[in-house]
């Protein structure tokens, strides 16, 4: 929604308010016509908090506009020079309620004495407003304490807000546009597209692929939930976007781009991706600099993507499978962690200490996709016995055990899965907050919990402690959705986060400039990055809705993946009458 105010501009009246009924009668008399020059003042009452604004002025003559102050810049003008769009200069974008915006506008134009005087109308738009994110908001189901369909819809919108590259006409996020169109490989390969990682704008292939495999897994297991929520087609689009990028990133048999953008360069910039100007170097793994971890994860994402798409779009699915097989073979043949091979890349952010878990996980997904025994053998070869830390972008041991248990029915996998959940359930080794949230790690604590909730729901589908696991998963997801009295999902439920650490939604609408002031501004972010799960409490009672806190209040592709899939699992239980 845009707030519009219309005022009249004239060279003779020093000050005109929107409320004055002068629109039609204001004239530009010859008395103060300085040789076809005009000057007037615009005064807009400011009736709400403003962050970023534009003013559109329509003249009745072609005009050469001159601005005699520093509040604004001419953003654009029409070909006939009758319409001008002005936008605030940096540091003049913030205005407070009950103030006014006054600016003197002058210029030159041409008319003969018999022509009518110059007049103009001006419209002020506060660029704080969202535009129109349309939420279809499926009706709540009485048996659901929280509207799962709405959460699924919003979580998918979160991924849409993370899109990099040329946006399709179907883009539903009005405050996002095309960006990073020059993301190229070392030989100018097209690396546009994919998702920005979190509140920043790096494309990190490892967690991107990890998010896709968790999302695809949720779609495969709980497709009925997406259909019931009216989100199935949106969900296919959601994972297709990064899957296309993962395929682009595979530029030849043993060459895989794993990152675009560099941490420090990227993090120094607070603003929109549409405005980025820093260098965005690409990083790739090769036979000389291998990365079996990232290769295994890309293969897992693509093989899971194949399964999700094989009936929906067989050609796309076949492409995914071909890439998955090649990448997996590359990962097996040249073994190293990408952290070791590319220490200057993701190591500080998404470093990986081993690759067994990804080769186990990638092999298992390829076996599910192809039924070829060799992949099952590879998966088992890299399987690590014992209980697991959890399930995350860097650790897929547990996920692999659940898949291996499913395809082999072997009890040794079940025992490790049960042992891991025994650690995670109350009374185990994982500590709990008094809210009832299991707390594995201070960085994105809710994400670890949500990942485990999702895996528990899948294990329950496979017949492992179904009643107990489902009840536990529901309790953990409900904490994220509001059971502590507040929601941790942006734009959902009661008292949701309004200051997430997320650059693009903290900026006013284009074309207003954006800068560091958007980070520190105390007001809520101008745009709602619907569906983003924030990191969550980092210690007992320790959550603050603070935009500068990237430990507790960042949103990330990785955070939403297991979370969204878990919500799909709960929706599945709801529609099948099994919700605890
Ligand atoms: C506003 O922007 C214009 C164009 O960029 C510039 O000439 C003017 O000096 C600016 N005023 C500032 C920065 O305060
Ligand atoms: C703005 O003015 C109105 C009317 O005087 C007043 O009720 C309101 O509290 C003021 N708002 C602020 C933010 O000062
Ligand atoms: C790593 O690669 C080497 C060379 O291809 C191979 O001999 C070795 O078995 C591999 N190690 C593992 C753990 O796969
Ligand atoms: C897989 O492993 C089994 C058991 O070790 C072996 O008999 C079989 O030949 C292997 N299959 C392939 C395709 O390597
Ligand atoms: C494997 O997964 C499918 C789909 O969830 C399920 O129907 C089947 O029971 C599972 N089998 C085992 C052994 O877990």
């Amino acid at each position: 929604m845009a707030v519009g105010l219309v005022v009249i501009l004239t060279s003779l009246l020093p000050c005109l308010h929107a409320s004055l009924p002068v629109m039609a009668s204001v004239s530009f008399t010859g008395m103060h016509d300085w040789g076809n020059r005009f000057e007037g003042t615009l005064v807009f009452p400011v009736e709400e908090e403003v962050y970023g604004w534009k003013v559109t002025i329509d003249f009745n003559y072609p005009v050469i506009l001159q601005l005699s102050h520093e509040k604004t810049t001419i953003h654009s003008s029409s070909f006939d020079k009758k319409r001008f769009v002005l936008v605030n200069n940096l540091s003049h974008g913030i205005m407070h309620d009950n103030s006014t915006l006054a600016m003197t506008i002058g210029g030159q134009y041409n008319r003969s004495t018999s022509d009518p005087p110059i007049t103009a109308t001006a419209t002020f738009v506060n660029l704080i407003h969202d535009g129109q994110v349309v939420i279809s908001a499926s009706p709540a189901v009485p048996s659901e304490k929280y509207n799962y369909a709405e959460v699924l819809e919003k979580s998918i919108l979160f991924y849409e807000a993370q899109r990099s590259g040329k946006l399709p006409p179907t883009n539903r996020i009005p405050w996002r546009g095309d960006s990073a169109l020059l993301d190229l490989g070392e030989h100018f390969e097209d690396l546009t597209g994919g998702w920005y990682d979190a509140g920043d704008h790096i494309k990190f292939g490892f967690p991107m692929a990890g998010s896709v495999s968790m999302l695809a897994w949720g779609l495969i297991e709980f497709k009925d939930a997406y259909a019931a929520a009216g989100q199935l087609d949106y969900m296919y689009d959601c994972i297709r976007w990064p899957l296309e990028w993962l395929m682009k990133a595979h530029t030849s048999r043993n060459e895989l781009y794993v990152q675009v953008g560099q941490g420090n360069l990227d993090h120094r910039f607070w603003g929109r991706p549409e405005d980025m100007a820093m260098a965005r170097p690409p990083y790739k793994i090769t036979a000389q600099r291998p990365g079996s971890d990232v290769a295994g994860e890309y293969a897992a994402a693509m093989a899971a993507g194949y399964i999700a798409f094989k009936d929906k779009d067989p050609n796309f699915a076949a492409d995914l499978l071909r890439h998955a097989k090649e990448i997996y073979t590359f990962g097996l043949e040249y073994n190293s962690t990408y952290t070791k091979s590319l220490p200057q890349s993701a190591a500080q952010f998404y470093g990986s200490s081993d690759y067994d878990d990804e080769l186990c996980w990638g092999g298992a997904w390829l076996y599910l996709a192809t039924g070829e025994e060799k992949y099952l053998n590879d998966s088992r070869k890299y399987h690590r016995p014992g209980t697991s830390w959890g399930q995350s972008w860097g650790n897929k041991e547990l996920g692999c055990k659940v898949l291996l248990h499913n395809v082999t029915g072997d009890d040794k996998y079940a025992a490790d899965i049960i042992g891991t959940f025994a650690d995670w359930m109350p009374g185990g080794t994982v500590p709990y907050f008094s809210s009832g949230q299991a707390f594995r790690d201070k960085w994105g604590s809710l994400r670890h919990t949500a990942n485990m909730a999702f895996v528990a729901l899948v294990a329950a589908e496979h017949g492992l402690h179904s009643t107990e696991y489902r009840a536990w998963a529901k309790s953990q997801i409900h904490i994220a959705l509001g059971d502590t009295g507040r929601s941790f999902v942006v734009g959902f439920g009661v008292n949701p986060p309004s200051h997430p650490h997320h650059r693009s939604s903290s900026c006013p609408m284009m074309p207003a400039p954006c800068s560091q002031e958007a980070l520190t501004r105390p007001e809520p972010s101008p745009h709602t990055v619907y569906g983003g799960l924030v990191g969550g409490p980092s210690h007992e009672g320790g959550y603050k809705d603070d935009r500068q806190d990237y430990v507790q209040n960042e949103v990330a592709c990785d955070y939403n993946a297991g979370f969204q899939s878990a919500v799909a699992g709960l929706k599945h239980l709801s529609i099948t009458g099994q919700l605890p």
Side-chain angles (χ1 to χ4, degrees):
M1 178 194 65
V3 171
L5 291 169
V6 175
V7 304
I8 293 288
L9 172 76
T10 163
S11 68
L12 287 184
L13 299 180
C15 172
L16 293 170
H17 267 282
S19 50
L20 295 180
V22 292
M23 290 191 44
S25 59
V26 164
S27 59
F28 188 13
T29 67
M31 187 164 62
H32 287 96
D33 189 334
W34 304 293
N36 291 348
R37 200 180 118 59
F38 70 90
E39 188 171 272
T41 299
L42 291 175
V43 177
F44 297 99
V46 174
E47 285 164 348
E48 61 175 7
E49 193 64 28
V50 170
Y51 181 29
W53 47 267
K54 73 173 179 180
V55 167
T56 302
I57 311 177
D58 286 297
F59 292 97
N60 60 341
Y61 288 99
V63 154
I64 299 169
L65 207 61
Q66 286 154 352
L67 304 178
S68 53
H69 53 80
E70 297 198 325
K71 288 177 186 162
T72 186
T73 302
I74 299 174
H75 173 259
S76 59
S77 58
S78 62
F79 186 71
D80 65 6
K81 300 290 176 204
K82 287 179 164 176
R83 164 170 284 200
F84 292 82
V85 177
L86 311 184
V87 62
N88 68 277
N89 271 353
L90 197 60
S91 85
H92 290 278
I94 297 178
M95 292 187 293
H96 303 291
D97 197 1
N98 289 348
S99 60
T100 52
L101 168 64
M103 30 185 207
T104 300
I105 308 279
Q108 290 167 2
Y109 76 110
N110 269 311
R111 70 172 170 99
S112 61
T113 44
S114 57
D115 289 337
I118 190 166
T119 59
T121 57
T123 309
F124 173 89
V125 177
N126 182 0
L127 295 171
I128 206 167
H129 296 289
D130 251 340
Q132 330 61 34
V133 179
V134 178
I135 309 284
S136 69
S138 291
V141 176
S143 62
E144 298 174 9
K145 180 171 177 190
Y146 299 100
N147 186 342
Y148 299 138
E150 184 186 342
V151 184
L152 292 176
E153 175 180 13
K154 289 180 173 173
S155 183
I156 291 171
L157 280 168
F158 167 69
Y159 285 104
E160 214 163 305
Q162 295 303 97
R163 285 179 174 183
S164 179
K166 173 132 191 75
L167 300 185
T170 51
N171 169 44
R172 294 179 293 165
I173 310 295
W175 41 274
R176 284 298 328 281
D178 298 346
S179 62
L181 298 179
L182 292 175
D183 280 2
L184 299 170
E186 284 172 19
H187 301 287
F188 307 106
E189 299 95 340
D190 172 19
L191 297 177
T192 61
W195 283 330
Y196 296 122
D197 183 61
D200 57 359
H201 303 133
I202 306 169
K203 297 196 293 207
F204 285 121
F206 190 45
M208 194 195 304
S211 303
V212 175
S213 27
M214 290 292 271
L215 287 166
W217 195 7
L219 174 57
I220 293 162
E221 284 283 348
F222 303 123
K223 188 171 164 184
D224 59 346
Y226 284 102
Q231 295 299 313
L232 190 54
D233 285 336
Y234 289 119
M235 182 52 185
Y236 282 119
D237 286 349
C238 172
I239 58 172
R240 182 189 276 265
W241 189 265
L243 283 167
E244 282 175 348
W245 187 81
L246 296 176
M247 288 198 281
K248 279 184 184 179
H250 187 213
T251 42
S252 73
R253 193 172 184 86
N254 292 341
E255 183 178 282
L256 190 61
Y257 281 92
V258 301
Q259 183 176 335
V260 182
Q262 195 261 336
N264 298 329
L265 294 177
D266 185 277
H267 287 177
R268 237 178 267 150
F269 166 79
W270 190 273
R272 305 180 192 92
E274 291 79 4
D275 298 334
M276 290 188 294
M278 81 292 275
R280 291 175 57 80
Y283 299 88
K284 66 181 175 186
I285 56 167
T286 59
Q288 291 72 42
R289 297 177 182 280
S292 311
D293 40 12
V294 68
E297 184 58 73
Y298 276 44
M302 292 179 180
Y306 164 80
I307 296 170
F309 275 99
K310 66 179 193 285
D311 299 325
K312 167 94 179 154
D313 184 343
N315 292 331
F316 179 62
D319 287 343
L320 286 168
L321 188 57
R322 182 169 49 77
H323 284 284
K325 288 175 169 177
E326 269 190 32
I327 293 169
Y328 189 67
T329 303
F330 170 39
L332 283 179
E333 281 178 6
Y334 299 92
N335 51 43
S336 172
T337 61
Y338 86 125
T339 311
K340 214 181 274 171
S341 297
L342 299 172
Q344 73 284 42
S345 73
Q348 303 162 258
F349 303 95
Y350 291 100
S352 165
S353 54
D354 48 37
Y355 52 78
D356 294 19
D357 52 332
E358 283 85 17
L359 291 179
C360 179
W361 169 245
W365 277 113
L366 273 163
Y367 177 67
L368 282 162
T370 64
E372 289 175 36
E373 192 184 37
K374 67 173 177 177
Y375 293 119
L376 181 57
N377 286 3
D378 289 331
S379 180
R380 291 171 120 154
K381 175 177 166 195
Y382 288 99
H383 163 257
R384 211 183 283 156
T387 57
S388 305
W389 182 85
Q391 170 80 12
S392 78
W393 59 264
N395 187 333
K396 292 90 185 186
E397 274 176 30
L398 182 65
C400 189
K401 287 176 201 293
V402 171
L403 297 181
L404 286 175
H405 171 250
N406 186 245
V407 296
T408 64
D410 193 328
D411 283 343
K412 74 176 179 193
Y413 302 117
D416 286 347
I417 297 164
I418 291 167
T420 303
F421 281 111
D423 281 343
W424 272 81
M425 299 265 174
T429 57
V430 174
Y432 273 71
F433 292 143
S434 58
S435 66
Q437 182 196 336
F439 175 61
R440 173 93 280 183
D441 185 68
K442 70 172 184 162
W443 279 88
S445 67
L446 284 168
R447 154 272 309 259
H448 291 294
T449 307
N451 287 347
M452 289 302 281
F454 169 57
V455 178
L457 290 171
V458 176
E461 289 298 302
H462 298 172
L464 298 180
H465 294 283
S466 304
T467 308
E468 197 189 347
Y469 287 5
R470 284 171 179 161
W472 181 78
K474 182 180 138 181
S475 74
Q476 297 301 307
I477 294 300
H478 281 200
I479 285 170
L481 296 179
D483 271 8
T484 67
R486 70 166 309 144
S487 163
F488 290 99
V489 180
V490 181
F492 175 82
V494 174
N495 189 20
S498 54
H499 297 66
H501 182 87
H502 185 256
R503 286 169 175 72
S504 53
S505 61
S506 77
C507 295
M509 291 288 276
M510 289 169 277
C514 186
S515 75
Q516 201 77 14
E517 76 188 7
L519 170 62
T520 53
R521 210 175 142 258
E523 283 77 17
S525 293
H527 311 306
T528 307
V529 60
Y530 282 106
L533 175 71
V534 297
S538 57
H539 54 273
E540 181 70 55
Y543 173 74
K544 211 166 139 232
D545 181 15
D546 175 356
R547 199 179 292 115
Q548 298 190 62
D549 188 333
Y550 45 79
V551 176
Q552 300 187 82
N553 220 28
E554 189 154 5
V555 291
C557 292
D558 163 57
Y559 291 5
N560 266 71
F563 168 72
Q564 182 182 314
S565 290
V567 172
L570 295 176
K571 182 71 186 171
H572 161 79
L573 296 177
S574 163
I575 60 187
T576 55
Q578 302 177 86
L579 189 65

